[in-house]
Structures are given as C-alpha cells and as structure tokens.
Amino acid sequence: MILGGWPGDRRYLMQKVAHGVWYVSVDVPREYRETLGRKRIIRSLKTRDLKTAQALRWGVVAEIKGEVQRNVEASTGQPDANLTAWAMEVREEIRSTPIAARETREMLAAALDAKTDEIASRLGPDTARQFHQIATGKADPITTHLDRYLDKAGMAARTNADARTAVRELDGWLAEANRPQTVQALDSRTAGEFRDQFLVPVKKDTRTINKKISLLSSYWRWLIKNGVLNSDTLNPWGGKSLPKVKSWQQGEDSEHEPRAFTEDEMKALLAGDADQDLADLMRIAALSGMRLEEIGQLRVKDCEGGVFNIRKSKTKAGIRKVPIHPGLAAIVTRRTKDAKTGETKGPELFIFPDFPDSGWDGARTMAVSKRFATYRRSVGVDEVPEGQKRSRVDFHSFRRWFAHECEMAGHHETLVARVMGHSKGVNITYGTYSKAQPLELMKVCVESVKLPIA
C-alpha cells in the first residue's frame, strides 16, 4: 500500500529486463508465506514508462494486499490478521512521503479512506477506526514502542524478558476481548479488567500479578514521559496492585517460598551425570554466591588476580569482585587456559563460550537455565507445592545455599552482602559512604563455604 511518485521512487516496482515492462512486486509477510505458499506476488503493469508505472502501481498494490489479507483470513480464521502491520506500513508511508509530493499524499489519503471503508464493511466500524487511527499516527499499537523502551530502561535481562511477556499478554488479552489494542485507548477500567479477568485467574500468585502490573506501569510512565501519550495522561495502572498477603495470614499455605537446596539435594546435584557446563556452573554458583547470568557473562579477563570481576549484573550493587574459591581453581584454569599450550586464552572470550546469546537483550543463560531444570528433576530434586506451578528450588537455590552457609559460619551480614552483591544488608555507613571491597575478609568468607561430601 506504499504510495509515492517523485523522481527515483521505485518502491514496489521492478523490471525483469532493462528498459522493459514494469512490474509490481509485493512481498508476502514472512509469517504467512508457508500458509499461502508464496514469498512474493508479481504482476505486470504493461508499461515501459516509469512515470506511468508509478501512477498505476497503487491500485495493483492495494489489490494484491487485499487478496493476501483475504487468503490469510480464510486460512487462519483471524478476520483482522495482519491489519496492524498494514496500518503501520501506511503510517510509515505518510511520514516518509515529502510534503512537496502533494499529489502522492492525496492519493495515499484516498487509498487509506477506501481501505478503511472496506474494513468497516467486513469487520465493523471499531476495527476500521483503529486501523485508520494507527495508519494516521493518532494511535500506537501496544507493542510499537516496546523495543525502544526496553533499550533505554536499563533493566536486567530477565526483567526485560518479564516486561516483554507482560506487554504481549496484555496485547493478546485485548485482542481476545475485542478491545482496542492501542496505548491511547487503554484506560483505568480496562487495566482493572485485564487484572481481574486475566492476571488473577491465570497467574494466581499475588507477587507475580503485582510484578506484571509494576512492569506495565513502568512502560506507561515511559510512554508519557517520552511524548507517546499526552503529558496529562493518567497512568492506567496506578493503584491496580493487589494488597500483599502477609505470611501469617496464609497459615500453612505459606510453605511455597523459594528456598535453598538441602545438603542431600546438593549431594544429588553434584553427584549426578551432568554435562560439563552444568557441572562447572553448579560448583561456581555454590562456591561464589554468584547469579547464573553473572557467571554466564564472565570472560577470561574477568578471572584474573584470584577474583571474579563481575562487570554486568542485575543491580548496581552486583558490580563487584568476588574472591575465587580454591575449590574452583581447576575449573577456572581449564576454562581460561589452552589445554595444549597452557597459555591464557583471549581476554574477551567467554569462559562458557557455547552459551547462545538471546539476541535482543544480551542474556546468555536462559537456555541453560531450562537445561538445569530438566537435569535437576532428573536427579529427584524438586518441590512444587500443591496448587502452585513453580518449584521452590531452582538454579538460584545455589545462591540461597551459599548465603545460608555464610550465615552458619558466623560472617557479618554486611560482609556477606558485599560478596553476593546485595544492596540490602549493607547499611548507610558501609553502603552509601564506603565503596571499599574488603577482599581479604571476603576471601575468608568465601573460603568458609564447603561443598557437602557425598
């Protein structure tokens, strides 16, 4: 549906032979190519004159896209399939068409009106209105600005993933509930209905529900701050969090909190038939208190001088140095030095080089986290309370176990917080005013932790 007509504009146009007949070429959206069995649709304009072809193409492009739309709807059963993507394409056309190209802009407006009328006749006025508002830039689909927000938010990789999931769940619920899928249309009442009709019955856990509401609220604050929504717009997620239920109010049902591994569970995990990456990860986590992603981000240069130099973490307090436990010396040597020459590997190489990058947020351990869950269950380490979906133990339980062992060894809370990268536990005097990392004391703390003997 792209329009244009200024000199040099050949969008959607192609010639099979130089100075030959002009054709219109329209790509089929990638997600529908298998359904329709085609990558693109090409039709002749039956003219060798570029200016004539530029004028003729719009009707053919609209015809082809309408055909694709109808075929997709018939194949998927989704009456508005791909409409949002189409509207965003038209929107980009309007923005990229020069103001001086008056005739082209008039043609674009006429084509948009015709398409809006056609949608109204098939799918109703509400769907047509949303299509027109998105195409003219008066409304933004729920997910349009999500990538830009996540890129600027500065949150941890896992939090980014949670925010992305929350926004997509909202978008999916709006579609199922036949509500407008734009940020401008979402009001306080709709936000409350999403909470009560989707989050509460599906997610159930109060903490999970409140976390999703908090993430959505942060996204909306960013939309307001960055001018996507008017500055006087009220955040629809304000006041939507559920009251926190105190553990004493839950009675025996409170026994579903995440916990550390027991000694027997540690023995089972360390003695199991884990692959080399998992075996090393478990031991590093248990003897350092590091988070999984912190370990996955370690490079060769971060394992020098007897410390793990953590440069990328979930929080600001997580940026720290952790003394390397003597029990990890062999693992560190194997992962940082060449087995044949004994020389240190390249400083920028990851010590776990086989972990795939997730692509959009730089996280490297999402896949291995799932692999660990499978392994953990295979050795009988699991505890899923009745009525719950999540196990009380996961990879983070190594970190909880480390904290417990430090506590049992009698180390001060502030010191343990330093080792583990916690802001909580470091009081104002030792946190705000002192940035020192007492490595010798931290070394004593780390080395007091011993793996259980099978």
Side-chain angles (χ1 to χ4, degrees), residues 209-244:
I209 294 170
N210 285 346
K211 181 177 181 180
K212 288 182 178 293
I213 291 174
S214 175
L215 291 169
L216 290 168
S217 181
S218 295
Y219 181 38
W220 251 257
R221 283 198 301 272
W222 182 89
L223 292 170
I224 295 170
K225 183 178 180 180
N226 286 272
V228 177
L229 296 173
N230 293 331
S231 58
D232 59 351
T233 301
L234 294 178
N235 190 329
W237 303 101
K240 296 298 184 295
S241 296
L242 298 176
K244 296 180 180 179

Side-chain angles (χ1 to χ4, degrees), residues 106-173:
E106 289 176 352
M107 292 172 63
L108 176 57
L112 175 58
D113 289 342
K115 181 62 181 176
T116 302
D117 291 341
E118 186 263 329
I119 294 172
S121 65
R122 288 190 305 113
L123 305 175
D126 291 341
T127 301
R129 187 181 305 109
Q130 177 172 296
F131 175 84
H132 193 276
Q133 287 179 336
I134 292 174
T136 55
K138 296 178 181 178
D140 301 89
I142 295 292
T143 59
T144 294
H145 302 283
L146 182 58
D147 286 341
R148 187 159 67 101
Y149 161 66
L150 294 176
D151 183 56
K152 301 296 183 183
M155 299 185 296
R158 184 57 58 87
T159 306
N160 273 5
D162 291 340
R164 187 178 294 275
T165 298
V167 172
R168 286 178 173 171
E169 286 175 342
L170 170 63
D171 192 44
W173 177 82

Side-chain angles (χ1 to χ4, degrees), residues 86-323:
W86 195 346
M88 290 301 292
E89 185 178 349
V90 176
R91 177 173 172 161
E92 186 56 33
E93 290 295 322
I94 295 173
R95 289 180 176 176
S96 61
T97 301
I99 296 177
R102 182 176 177 181
E103 182 179 350
T104 298
R105 296 180 73 86
E106 289 176 352
M107 292 172 63
L108 176 57
L112 175 58
D113 289 342
K115 181 62 181 176
T116 302
D117 291 341
E118 186 263 329
I119 294 172
S121 65
R122 288 190 305 113
L123 305 175
D126 291 341
T127 301
R129 187 181 305 109
Q130 177 172 296
F131 175 84
H132 193 276
Q133 287 179 336
I134 292 174
T136 55
K138 296 178 181 178
D140 301 89
I142 295 292
T143 59
T144 294
H145 302 283
L146 182 58
D147 286 341
R148 187 159 67 101
Y149 161 66
L150 294 176
D151 183 56
K152 301 296 183 183
M155 299 185 296
R158 184 57 58 87
T159 306
N160 273 5
D162 291 340
R164 187 178 294 275
T165 298
V167 172
R168 286 178 173 171
E169 286 175 342
L170 170 63
D171 192 44
W173 177 82
L174 289 170
E176 284 193 19
N178 198 27
R179 308 292 181 84
Q181 293 169 261
T182 66
V183 295
Q184 285 80 4
L186 194 130
D187 55 18
S188 179
R189 179 175 179 175
T190 304
E193 290 175 348
F194 171 68
R195 179 196 64 192
D196 297 338
Q197 296 177 18
F198 178 80
L199 291 181
V200 171
V202 175
K203 304 303 176 182
K204 294 183 173 63
D205 184 73
T206 300
R207 290 169 303 176
T208 300
I209 294 170
N210 285 346
K211 181 177 181 180
K212 288 182 178 293
I213 291 174
S214 175
L215 291 169
L216 290 168
S217 181
S218 295
Y219 181 38
W220 251 257
R221 283 198 301 272
W222 182 89
L223 292 170
I224 295 170
K225 183 178 180 180
N226 286 272
V228 177
L229 296 173
N230 293 331
S231 58
D232 59 351
T233 301
L234 294 178
N235 190 329
W237 303 101
K240 296 298 184 295
S241 296
L242 298 176
K244 296 180 180 179
V245 180
K246 305 299 182 182
S247 60
W248 58 267
Q249 294 176 313
Q250 299 180 23
E252 295 182 358
D253 292 337
S254 63
E255 295 297 322
H256 63 266
E257 294 290 328
R259 63 169 177 80
F261 290 125
T262 65
E263 184 171 340
D264 287 341
E265 288 172 336
M266 288 289 292
K267 290 178 180 178
L269 289 166
L270 297 175
D273 187 22
D275 60 63
Q276 192 65 68
D277 280 347
L278 281 180
D280 290 351
L281 278 171
M282 291 189 292
R283 286 162 176 78
I284 294 175
L287 295 178
S288 69
M290 293 165 61
R291 301 176 177 92
L292 176 58
E293 184 62 26
E294 290 174 347
I295 302 172
Q297 293 290 339
L298 287 175
R299 301 175 189 266
V300 172
K301 66 180 181 181
D302 300 325
C303 304
E304 299 173 344
V307 297
F308 290 123
N309 191 1
I310 303 169
R311 305 172 191 268
K312 185 175 182 179
S313 183
K314 179 180 179 181
T315 64
K316 183 178 180 181
I319 307 303
R320 65 197 188 283
K321 294 180 180 179
V322 177

